[in-house]
Amino acid sequence: MPFIHIVLLPIKRGASKELVDQVVTGLNELGRHIPFVLSSRCGETVTTRGKQYTHALVVELERGDQLSSYADHPAHQAVLSDIKKIISEDTIAMDFDSPN
């Protein structure tokens, strides 16, 4: 059963556009580096509804028991170190099993 990992990212004002773009690209390419990542999508919000987290990440893993391996994977750790440089507050994460 696929497993979905969602993260909302609040990018701080004044963050380097180049570094933000690098983070988005790195997150979108996680599937190339982590074999059990079925898909990885990151992008900037296009609405002004609700509390504004500027970017979101949606990752689909093969199974839920791979989440810790995903978190520890060097490709994830590399982009995570850059994420910590550009966020303004804590992220919000949500994880769940997907029936499809």
Side-chain angles (χ1 to χ4, degrees):
M1 175 181 300
F3 186 81
I4 306 299
H5 171 63
I6 299 172
V7 181
L8 301 180
L9 302 163
I11 305 301
K12 64 184 167 188
R13 291 176 195 241
S16 158
K17 180 180 178 351
E18 292 80 16
L19 186 53
V20 172
D21 290 346
Q22 179 180 321
V23 165
V24 170
T25 298
L27 291 171
N28 280 321
E29 293 180 351
L30 287 174
R32 293 182 182 182
H33 306 288
I34 306 174
F36 50 85
V37 170
L38 301 176
S39 67
S40 180
R41 296 178 197 97
C42 181
E44 186 173 359
T45 187
V46 296
T47 70
T48 58
R49 298 180 301 147
K51 181 172 168 114
Q52 285 302 293
Y53 284 82
T54 59
H55 290 70
L57 168 68
V58 179
V59 177
E60 183 179 9
L61 305 176
E62 292 174 349
R63 301 182 319 274
D65 63 356
Q66 296 167 322
L67 186 60
S68 62
S69 296
Y70 163 80
D72 294 337
H73 194 281
H76 177 262
Q77 287 297 312
V79 74
L80 184 60
S81 68
D82 285 337
I83 288 171
K84 291 177 180 179
K85 296 174 187 174
I86 62 172
I87 59 173
S88 61
E89 59 187 85
D90 289 339
T91 61
I92 292 180
M94 182 176 211
D95 306 298
F96 60 93
D97 287 313
S98 176
N100 297 329

